């Protein structure tokens, strides 16, 4: 049990348990909107580290649905909200912030980051408001973007081989 503090109002069907944990065999990583990203020992369940994040802000009270992704001993997390969007990379063992890249043009969204490898290069690919963006996973620098998406992204890219697929929705 973890004290979560005062929970923000959210609009159903979202819940405060919408985030999906990630694991690497040593630790389980979980995000909770009022606590940040937490790492737990995969064997004992003990908390290993906690990285506090700014509380997400959603103008329509949609609430958070972001989930951590683990790859190559790093934890990647995207918080696209209506005031302070960013993508962050943490060291999986210590929780130390390796880099944080602001995403000021992004509004509330729910796309998870995906790793894509093509031509011998790895990119961290994230969909957001109007754009699909490829970041350097080592530095967080934007490498490329494709401006052809809708305002609110609720789907995540799917990578197969050297192709990236993305479904978009419209109201």
């Amino acid at each position: 049990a973890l004290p979560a503090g005062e929970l923000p109002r959210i609009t159903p069907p979202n819940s405060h348990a919408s985030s999906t944990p990630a694991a690497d065999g040593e630790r389980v990583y979980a995000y909770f909107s009022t606590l940040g990203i937490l790492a737990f020992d995969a064997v004992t369940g003990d908390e290993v580290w906690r990285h506090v994040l700014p509380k997400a802000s959603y103008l329509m009270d949609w609430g958070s649905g972001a989930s951590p992704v683990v790859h190559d001993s790093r934890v990647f997390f995207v918080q696209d909200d209506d005031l302070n969007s960013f993508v962050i990379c943490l060291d999986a063992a210590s929780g130390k912030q390796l880099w944080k890249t602001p995403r000021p043009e992004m509004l509330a969204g729910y796309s998870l980051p995906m790793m894509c490898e093509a031509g011998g290069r790895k990119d961290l690919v994230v969909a957001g408001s109007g754009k699909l963006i490829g970041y350097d996973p080592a530095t967080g620098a934007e490498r490329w973007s494709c401006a052809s998406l809708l305002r609110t992204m609720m789907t995540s890219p799917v990578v197969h081989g050297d192709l990236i697929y993305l479904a978009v929705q419209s109201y």
Side-chain angles (χ1 to χ4, degrees):
L2 296 168
E6 185 177 340
L7 299 176
R9 192 174 86 91
I10 60 174
T11 303
N14 199 4
S15 80
H16 292 289
S18 292
S19 180
T20 301
D24 61 9
E26 294 181 46
R27 288 168 293 278
V28 176
Y29 309 93
Y31 168 74
F32 197 78
S33 65
T34 59
L35 301 175
I37 300 173
L38 294 86
F40 300 93
D41 184 283
V43 175
T44 66
D46 295 334
E47 186 175 322
V48 177
W49 55 258
R50 181 182 300 209
H51 188 89
V52 178
L53 294 172
K55 289 184 181 165
S57 178
Y58 297 93
L59 299 178
M60 302 291 288
D61 293 327
W62 290 339
S64 181
S67 300
V69 172
V70 64
H71 183 80
D72 285 343
S73 300
R74 293 175 174 219
V75 178
F76 299 96
F77 183 79
V78 175
Q79 179 170 298
D80 280 349
D81 67 7
D82 287 314
L83 296 178
N84 183 30
S85 297
F86 59 87
V87 57
I88 193 170
C89 175
L90 307 174
D91 177 75
S94 67
K96 177 185 173 195
Q97 181 176 307
L98 301 176
W99 54 259
K100 182 178 180 181
T101 301
R103 291 168 49 88
E105 71 280 11
M106 298 300 155
L107 298 171
Y110 298 90
S111 182
L112 301 182
M114 295 293 163
M115 199 61 68
C116 176
E117 186 170 350
R121 184 179 86 188
K122 290 182 182 178
D123 289 345
L124 182 70
V125 179
V126 185
S129 301
K131 285 185 178 180
L132 185 66
I133 301 175
Y135 296 95
D136 180 340
T139 66
E142 184 177 321
R143 288 181 166 161
W144 56 266
S145 68
C146 172
S148 61
L149 305 181
L150 300 175
R151 180 223 181 264
T152 303
M153 289 306 303
M154 295 180 189
T155 60
S156 299
V158 174
V159 177
H160 180 70
D162 61 356
L163 294 176
I164 301 168
Y165 299 90
L166 185 65
V168 294
Q169 78 289 340
S170 176
Y171 300 108

